[in-house]
Amino acid sequence: MNSAVLERLIRKMANRIGIDIRRHRSQTPESVRLAAMLASHGVDLVFDVGANIGQFSQSLRAAGYRGRLVSFEPLSIAHAQLLRVSQGDVQWEIAPQVAVGALEGEIDIHVAGNSVSSSALEMLDSHSKAAPGSAYVGSERVRLSRLDTLALDYMRPNTVPFIKIDTQGYEDRVLAGATSLLDRVSGLQLELSFVPLYEGQHLFDVLVERLRALGFSIWAIWPGLCDPRSGRMLQVDAIFFRN
């Protein structure tokens, strides 16, 4: 059996249990387009909220973005990997281990089996059934802080910031803790859900209207998580810039 046939077989078997296997590409068409958008708006600082192990920031860097990056990650194992992958990039700063939300204090983060689906919210069956590898395997208590507070360490008088938020249903809390920063940002990228995947999360329509009320418009929508059983799109990444 040649390698191409074996790869297709493995991907097919993984798809049956809700896992989508793809070749890793440090640069994607979406990241190239986003880098062009950032350049056209003069963005020189990207806040990567919910960085995991740095996939978003690495992809953006590979796509040509040369400005500053600041990554926030609450889980200890992912944070340690984030520190390693960012070494050598003097324009990429890793904030101390922290969860970003609407309050100051501490919070329990549920740790998912696939790491990227970890959340402060309870996962619903709609998510775990669509992606069985995402089921929770533990929890970790971490510091919680508002982005308005955290951003003060990185903002400069003429900074043009952009915020990426991928916090698995916790996006509305991150926005609630960034009211001052939102007055200054040029744009945002949010992971948005069409159906409830986490208990208490706000869905696509609510968050889009919230950002429209703040003066932002959608510039792009990119596919995210699909349910392999039905083919239904469950999540997307949406890019917003100020009108």
Side-chain angles (χ1 to χ4, degrees), residues 11-223:
R11 185 180 292 114
K12 184 176 181 180
M13 292 172 64
N15 286 342
R16 287 177 179 170
I17 61 172
I19 300 172
D20 186 15
I21 297 177
R22 303 181 184 183
R23 289 184 180 273
H24 172 72
R25 297 180 176 90
S26 59
Q27 181 189 94
T28 66
E30 292 85 0
S31 62
V32 171
R33 287 181 58 194
L34 178 55
M37 295 178 198
L38 298 179
S40 70
H41 286 84
V43 170
D44 57 3
L45 172 60
V46 174
F47 289 114
D48 181 0
V49 180
N52 195 244
I53 60 172
Q55 301 95 319
F56 170 82
S57 289
Q58 286 182 296
S59 180
L60 193 56
R61 189 66 91 210
Y65 172 71
R66 294 292 174 261
R68 297 162 60 212
L69 293 159
V70 178
S71 295
F72 300 94
E73 170 56 38
L75 296 178
S76 55
I77 293 177
H79 189 269
Q81 291 180 268
L82 189 58
L83 288 170
R84 287 194 292 271
V85 301
S86 63
Q87 288 181 353
D89 188 336
V90 297
Q91 290 284 80
W92 186 3
E93 298 182 68
I94 310 302
Q97 185 182 343
V98 64
V100 182
L103 304 171
E104 302 286 337
E106 292 186 336
I107 194 169
D108 290 316
I109 303 293
H110 303 289
V111 181
N114 64 2
S115 180
V116 296
S117 297
S118 302
S119 176
L121 304 178
E122 292 289 343
M123 184 180 294
L124 299 178
D125 288 346
S126 53
H127 191 301
S128 57
K129 289 181 177 179
S134 66
Y136 291 151
V137 296
S139 65
E140 185 173 346
R141 192 159 187 81
V142 300
R143 182 169 72 95
L144 175 68
S145 187
R146 303 172 74 247
L147 192 54
D148 275 344
T149 301
L150 297 167
L152 294 175
D153 290 336
Y154 307 101
M155 294 289 289
R156 298 168 184 168
N158 297 317
T159 295
V160 181
F162 178 92
I163 309 173
K164 167 262 185 182
I165 307 173
D166 183 352
T167 50
Q168 302 302 307
Y170 212 64
E171 288 77 15
D172 65 296
R173 279 75 159 186
V174 176
L175 292 174
T179 53
S180 295
L181 183 61
L182 286 171
D183 289 337
R184 292 192 57 181
V185 300
S186 177
L188 307 94
Q189 174 174 323
L190 271 73
E191 183 180 69
L192 302 177
S193 296
F194 294 121
V195 300
L197 301 175
Y198 295 90
E199 186 175 339
Q201 77 174 117
H202 290 187
L203 298 182
F204 180 92
D205 291 343
V206 172
L207 290 174
V208 168
E209 286 305 314
R210 182 172 180 172
L211 290 174
R212 281 179 177 163
L214 293 173
F216 295 93
S217 296
I218 293 176
W219 274 51
I221 296 177
W222 295 321

